[in-house]
Amino acid sequence: NNWALGYQMCTNDFLDKSIDLIRREIELCDLPPVLLSIHSMAGGTGSGVGAKMTEQINDEFSSITQSNLSILPYHFGEVVVQNYNALLSLSK
């Protein structure tokens, strides 16, 4: 449940393959696409990966409209640091 672990884990080969897959799908589109990212903000690793992927997609495809559907944490939950994970995700 560590946001920083997920954020730092999303680099190099994983990030390059992910961006290449997105690029390939965009090239197959007839109309200008809209990228929709869906991710949780409460979980540690998932919220970190989601924040990093959103940043990278925005850098690589700045001319394409991007929409994020972020699942926010409940006011109390199973994980003590879920609110911190959400704040770190929002700060990026």
Side-chain angles (χ1 to χ4, degrees):
N1 238 343
N2 188 337
W3 181 89
L5 176 67
Y7 190 81
Q8 295 300 322
M9 193 172 77
C10 187
T11 57
N12 301 332
D13 196 36
F14 175 78
L15 191 58
D16 292 340
K17 283 183 181 180
S18 299
I19 295 298
D20 286 341
L21 288 171
I22 294 169
R23 182 176 288 114
R24 188 173 3 166
E25 290 299 320
I26 289 172
E27 289 171 355
L28 294 173
C29 291
D30 293 333
L31 298 173
V34 174
L35 296 176
L36 174 63
S37 301
I38 303 171
H39 63 96
S40 171
M41 297 182 92
T45 309
S47 61
V49 169
K52 183 70 168 190
M53 286 295 296
T54 300
E55 280 183 348
Q56 192 65 31
I57 289 170
N58 197 27
D59 289 344
E60 293 284 332
F61 309 107
S62 59
S63 63
I64 295 176
T65 302
Q66 182 180 356
S67 181
N68 287 326
L69 177 61
S70 300
I71 311 300
L72 297 172
Y74 196 58
H75 62 84
F76 63 88
E78 300 174 359
V79 181
V80 176
V81 294
Q82 69 182 8
N83 294 323
Y84 296 112
N85 292 335
L87 284 174
L88 289 168
S89 292
L90 289 171
S91 70
K92 289 297 185 175

